[in-house]
Amino acid sequence: MATQAGFSTGADHDAQGLKRRIVGQRGVAGPSNGVSERDDKKSQLPKSDQSILSFPDEYEFIIAPIIFTCLSFFTRMYRIGLSPIVTWDEAHFGKFGSHYLKREFYFDVHPPLGKMLVGLSGYLAGYNGSFEFKSGETYPEGVDYTSMRVFNATFGALCVPLAYFTARELNFRRPTVWLVTLMVLCENSYATISRFILLDAMLLFFTFTTVLCWARFHRLQKESFSPEWFAWLLMTGISIGCVTSVKWVGLFCTALVGLYTIEDLWNKFGDLKMPQVELGAHVVARVVGLIVVPMVVYMFSFWLHFLVLENSGPGDAQMSSLFQANLRGTDVGKGSPLEVAYGSRATLKNMGYGGGLLHSHVQTYPEGSTQQQITCYHHKDSNNDWFFYPNRSEPEFDPEAPIRYVGDGHTLRLVHSQTGRNLHSHTVPAPVTKADYEVSCYGNTTVGDEKDHFTVEVVRDAASNDRSKIRTLTTAFRLRHTALGCYLRAGNVNLPQWGFKQIEVTCAKDNRPRDVYTHWNVESHVNEKLPPGDPGSYKSPFFRDFLHLNVAMMTSNNALVPDPDKQDDLASHFWQWPILNVGLRMCGWDDHIVKYFLLGNPVVYWGSTASLGVIAAMVAWYLVRWQRGYDELKPQDIDQIHYAALYPVLGWFLHYVPFIAMARVTYVHHYYPALYFAILSFGFVIDHFTRPLPRAVQAGVFGATYALVVGVFALFSPIIFGMVGPASQWRHLKWLSTWRISD
């Protein structure tokens, strides 16, 4: 596998210039001209000595990754159980794992695969899910946190052999392969973050597998449609699905493979010798392997998520009312009368993806009408309750009068149960969505006007074709403002801090019947005059639940913006990451606490960041010389630059630049996937520029780099394995004033 030649997929393999990119036959350890590196002294040794010396050389591709893997497991697991407290985001992901063990539905902004694996680690460790994982708390005796951390650290440890085989597939020479592997092995931040119950080790693992599968698939282009080609294509798709199912950062890895595929197919499209049937087969194979398979893997993780979490839990309110009604132990729909009547007290759920409950509180809008705020809120409390009352042109509601049901076309008032004010709209612009009207609470049961009136428009009913009555859970309806003609709407726009970051509710001027954000249903319902029903007997379709949860995740993720009123000492800025300007304290810094500081290896960080600039300068240099007519690069050299330099740089760009544009709060660990591509870029730089050097000089360069990477890793090892005692002991590690290690 190591000596397999790599080929690009150009339209004309005999053409001159940049379009010709055929990699010549060469081993991983050989130079660009294909001549393998040999020690001339070996040929002077007896045959028996030659066989002894050739054995490690011949089986290096087995021996080296075994050694690196053993070292990796040591660096990731040594003293892994030293700190008995809940450390950093273990408070989140350990708790999510507990929900899986208790089978309670919860909500989080990340896809479920990584958290299900955390739950699996707890199950294998004999944990029953009863611990709350409060930050800084000591683990009780019944929680085998060490085994759970070991399970997680295994993913981090396996990244090292994956880096080794990826470097081989990128056609690096053996010393470079070792260097890339050593940089991943001795990257302090990778070793540290892999030691705790977090998602980052899993994210890195599947990022590494995706890059390896992509690199191997590219090397097999000359063997298209062979069983091995199909296998690596399928594994690439599975890896894409898995990395995206851990965190949405995996979409950046998906984009890298997608851009490669577009270029690959474009080159094949330009190959006029390729039969159209074969070209069509290439397209179909990639659509299935790189689009369908990842989507199936991603959706399957959510199917398992819904299957396991069958009990009511803290995340119910993020889902549709029908979904909640089918959870065990839920109160949604249970005991609620089937039909809604005037005088009923009910909660109204927005049916848009990620929609919440219609909500009000005593706080007012700081601008506009300055009347009482109306929002959508996902948590259940008494401020979500509303009374259905007749409109003001009809007689006042009489509790002793005969039951009158609410149905399609009825004009009514919705009165907030806690404040007694009416749901109201007027021609004042909404606070955020200025194109819509503001919705507020105004007046009371006696004070008000026609702008308190809304007309019910039934959209559909999952239980009946009869629109004369609104039914709990099953009836989807719209609320049209009778005077203004606008529709009550709750999109995925969050209010500023004065609105507690809750969802903005507006009155939309445009009449779009298919806009699900204008659709509402009654989630719970109380009316003593009506008998209880069983509206929860109808199931919510999986695909609808899948979309609903993903949009809710996206909405909540977008709401994770820095709070200007609070100082987050752990947050950092994108520009600080590549230059290792800042680290992160993962726990308290008292003398009696085992302390961990999330900081990278300075040699790895600074070297890999510098390599990105070197590659940019090198490409510019060769382009200028190519334009001037110089022909110093062979086709295989151009191919190596293309796939072993430009694509890693593109991978870094895709994983790093989006964080520049993101408004959400960011931390140092957001850079870790991008760091891997920077390491691969460093590998290319040192591989490329040491090729023409004498053998002795090459040995000196690689030897010095190995020693520097390992030496700095050893120097900073206390921040990985745990700092016991006063932090002032490690004052010598504070190379930059922004590294808060000793103060």
Side-chain angles (χ1 to χ4, degrees):
M1 186 168 87
T3 59
Q4 172 65 40
F7 295 87
S8 70
T9 53
D12 183 359
H13 294 301
D14 298 323
Q16 297 296 321
L18 286 177
K19 210 172 182 183
R20 179 183 177 190
R21 296 191 183 103
I22 307 177
V23 178
Q25 296 284 347
R26 51 181 169 156
V28 169
S32 61
N33 60 10
V35 179
S36 60
E37 296 180 87
R38 295 177 58 87
D39 189 342
D40 293 336
K41 294 181 180 179
K42 286 185 182 179
S43 60
Q44 302 174 8
L45 296 173
K47 289 186 177 180
S48 59
D49 292 340
Q50 287 186 36
S51 62
I52 294 173
L53 293 174
S54 64
F55 177 81
D57 180 73
E58 183 178 356
Y59 291 97
E60 180 272 344
F61 71 97
I62 296 177
I63 298 173
I66 290 177
I67 294 174
F68 280 122
T69 303
C70 292
L71 292 173
S72 180
F73 272 92
F74 172 77
T75 58
R76 271 63 177 171
M77 295 185 183
Y78 175 62
R79 300 172 70 184
I80 196 170
L82 179 63
S83 175
I85 66 171
V86 179
T87 303
W88 196 36
D89 277 352
E90 285 186 333
H92 296 298
F93 301 115
K95 180 172 60 178
F96 296 148
S98 298
H99 288 311
Y100 284 107
L101 295 174
K102 294 186 291 185
R103 309 190 71 171
E104 294 176 342
F105 193 84
Y106 73 94
F107 175 78
D108 180 46
V109 297
H110 300 302
L113 178 59
K115 294 167 292 185
M116 283 193 286
L117 290 172
V118 171
L120 176 61
S121 72
Y123 175 79
L124 295 175
Y127 169 53
N128 61 8
S130 59
F131 184 55
E132 294 185 5
F133 281 90
K134 292 183 179 179
S135 183
E137 276 197 0
T138 301
Y139 284 103
E141 292 185 3
V143 179
D144 187 0
Y145 65 93
T146 301
S147 295
M148 295 178 70
R149 288 176 176 173
V150 166
F151 179 94
N152 192 82
T154 301
F155 288 92
L158 293 177
C159 288
V160 173
L162 289 172
Y164 171 88
F165 288 112
T166 300
R168 285 173 64 95
E169 294 304 329
L170 291 177
N171 228 12
F172 293 154
R173 292 172 298 147
R174 181 178 297 170
T176 309
V177 172
W178 291 358
L179 177 59
V180 169
T181 310
L182 200 63
M183 291 176 76
V184 175
L185 171 67
C186 295
E187 172 43 44
N188 300 60
S189 61
Y190 284 176
T192 306
I193 207 163
S194 297
R195 301 167 64 83
F196 298 97
I197 306 170
L198 307 171
L199 301 186
D200 299 274
M202 302 169 193
L203 175 67
L204 289 171
F205 173 80
F206 289 119
T207 299
F208 280 47
T209 60
T210 302
V211 177
L212 171 60
C213 293
W214 160 77
R216 182 58 186 162
F217 175 72
H218 170 68
R219 292 285 295 276
L220 290 169
Q221 290 302 296
K222 199 69 174 180
E223 303 175 32
S224 298
F225 305 114
S226 66
E228 187 179 3
W229 183 87
F230 273 116
W232 284 100
L233 174 64
L234 179 63
M235 286 191 288
T236 304
I238 293 173
S239 293
I240 290 172
C242 288
V243 71
T244 309
S245 299
V246 174
K247 281 188 177 182
W248 278 348
V249 173
L251 290 172
F252 304 144
C253 213
T254 306
L256 176 67
V257 178
L259 291 173
Y260 163 80
T261 303
I262 291 171
E263 184 202 11
D264 182 31
L265 291 176
W266 179 252
N267 289 334
K268 285 178 168 55
F269 180 73
D271 185 359
L272 301 181
K273 297 178 182 179
M274 179 177 290
Q276 293 184 1
V277 174
E278 183 179 347
L279 176 61
H282 275 288
V283 173
V284 171
R286 284 158 177 77
V287 168
V288 173
L290 301 178
I291 298 178
V292 175
V293 169
M295 288 182 63
V296 169
V297 171
Y298 184 73
M299 293 178 68
F300 180 69
S301 70
F302 281 86
W303 182 82
L304 284 178
H305 179 73
F306 293 144
L307 180 67
V308 173
L309 304 182
E310 62 179 3
N311 297 323
S312 176
D316 296 4
Q318 292 285 348
M319 299 301 293
S320 70
S321 301
L322 268 181
F323 179 89
Q324 296 179 56
N326 286 280
L327 293 173
R328 294 181 179 176
T330 184
D331 293 329
V332 174
K334 298 299 186 290
S336 294
L338 190 59
E339 291 94 4
V340 178
Y342 286 98
S344 293
R345 188 177 81 247
T347 57
L348 274 63
K349 173 83 169 179
N350 185 265
M351 299 184 71
Y353 301 117
L357 296 163
L358 188 65
H359 178 92
S360 187
H361 37 238
V362 295
Q363 285 77 10
T364 60
Y365 291 112
E367 298 176 350
S369 68
T370 67
Q371 294 174 3
Q372 187 170 304
Q373 296 176 16
I374 295 289
T375 66
C376 255
Y377 188 53
H378 288 103
H379 298 279
K380 298 176 182 179
D381 63 28
S382 56
N383 279 326
N384 302 330
D385 293 342
W386 300 84
F387 285 106
F388 283 83
Y389 277 5
N391 65 66
R392 297 192 183 279
S393 63
E394 298 178 339
E396 287 288 332
F397 170 69
D398 182 3
E400 304 302 324
I403 289 290
R404 188 159 67 98
Y405 294 100
V406 177
D408 187 30
H410 287 205
T411 299
L412 47 74
R413 288 181 298 141
L414 288 170
V415 179
H416 190 237
S417 67
Q418 292 299 301
T419 62
R421 298 190 182 278
N422 305 285
L423 186 67
H424 181 90
S425 187
H426 35 226
T427 55
V428 177
V432 179
T433 310
K434 299 296 185 181
D436 294 346
Y437 293 135
E438 178 192 270
V439 178
S440 64
C441 256
Y442 170 75
N444 51 44
T445 54
T446 58
V447 176
D449 54 30
E450 72 281 356
K451 291 181 180 178
D452 302 336
H453 296 167
F454 286 84
T455 300
V456 176
E457 295 182 0
V458 174
V459 178
R460 63 181 178 275
D461 195 312
S464 172
N465 293 324
D466 179 15
R467 298 192 172 197
S468 64
K469 297 177 182 178
I470 290 180
R471 294 170 179 80
T472 306
L473 297 177
T474 62
T475 303
F477 58 90
R478 306 170 80 204
L479 290 170
R480 177 173 55 85
H481 193 271
T482 311
L484 301 177
C486 55
Y487 287 84
L488 192 69
R489 188 179 192 274
N492 286 323
V493 177
N494 294 93
L495 291 170
Q497 189 60 47
W498 53 256
F500 308 101
K501 300 294 179 68
Q502 295 173 12
I503 296 175
E504 179 191 38
V505 175
T506 66
C507 203
K509 301 174 187 176
D510 296 334
N511 181 10
R512 292 180 292 172
R514 294 188 178 181
D515 181 7
V516 293
Y517 295 101
T518 62
H519 296 182
W520 303 83
N521 68 264
V522 174
E523 181 170 282
S524 62
H525 171 209
V526 176
N527 193 317
E528 296 178 354
K529 287 191 172 184
L530 297 175
D534 186 21
S537 58
Y538 299 94
K539 298 290 184 181
S540 181
F542 164 75
F543 191 69
R544 183 179 297 171
D545 294 335
F546 168 78
L547 289 177
H548 194 111
L549 181 54
N550 274 267
V551 175
M553 290 159 49
M554 185 183 305
T555 304
S556 297
N557 194 53
N558 292 338
L560 297 176
V561 295
D563 188 343
D565 298 327
K566 296 180 181 178
Q567 180 178 348
D568 189 346
D569 292 332
L570 302 181
S572 55
H573 301 289
F574 68 90
W575 62 267
Q576 297 177 293
W577 306 336
I579 60 175
L580 199 61
N581 179 258
V582 68
L584 185 149
R585 291 181 176 181
M586 301 185 71
C587 55
W589 228 241
D590 295 339
D591 291 350
H592 67 280
I593 294 177
V594 181
K595 292 167 282 294
Y596 297 89
F597 193 73
L598 198 54
L599 183 75
N601 185 319
V603 175
V604 175
Y605 262 75
W606 295 336
S608 63
T609 300
S611 71
L612 300 169
V614 171
I615 291 176
M618 182 190 71
V619 171
W621 168 260
Y622 283 131
L623 286 175
V624 170
R625 291 181 63 80
W626 174 77
Q627 185 67 17
R628 295 294 297 168
Y630 291 91
D631 190 18
E632 56 196 314
L633 293 178
K634 299 177 182 179
Q636 58 264 36
D637 296 326
I638 296 174
D639 189 87
Q640 183 69 2
I641 293 172
H642 186 185
Y643 291 103
L646 295 185
Y647 269 99
V649 170
L650 178 61
W652 175 87
F653 181 88
L654 291 172
H655 283 78
Y656 176 67
V657 172
F659 286 101
I660 299 176
M662 284 185 185
R664 64 155 291 168
V665 62
T666 52
Y667 302 95
V668 293
H669 68 286
H670 289 144
Y671 184 69
Y672 293 167
L675 175 62
Y676 178 53
F677 292 96
I679 290 173
L680 294 176
S681 301
F682 181 84
F684 169 83
V685 168
I686 198 167
D687 189 79
H688 180 81
F689 286 102
T690 57
R691 282 181 186 273
L693 299 178
R695 191 181 305 275
V697 177
Q698 290 187 33
V701 170
F702 281 103
T705 311
Y706 295 160
L708 201 57
V709 170
V710 174
V712 173
F713 172 81
L715 177 66
F716 282 85
S717 61
I719 69 174
I720 303 170
F721 303 134
M723 297 181 284
V724 181
S728 58
Q729 301 176 67
W730 293 277
R731 189 177 293 107
H732 62 284
L733 299 181
K734 189 178 179 179
W735 290 6
L736 300 180
S737 60
T738 51
W739 295 359
R740 299 173 59 240
I741 297 177
S742 59
D743 51 297

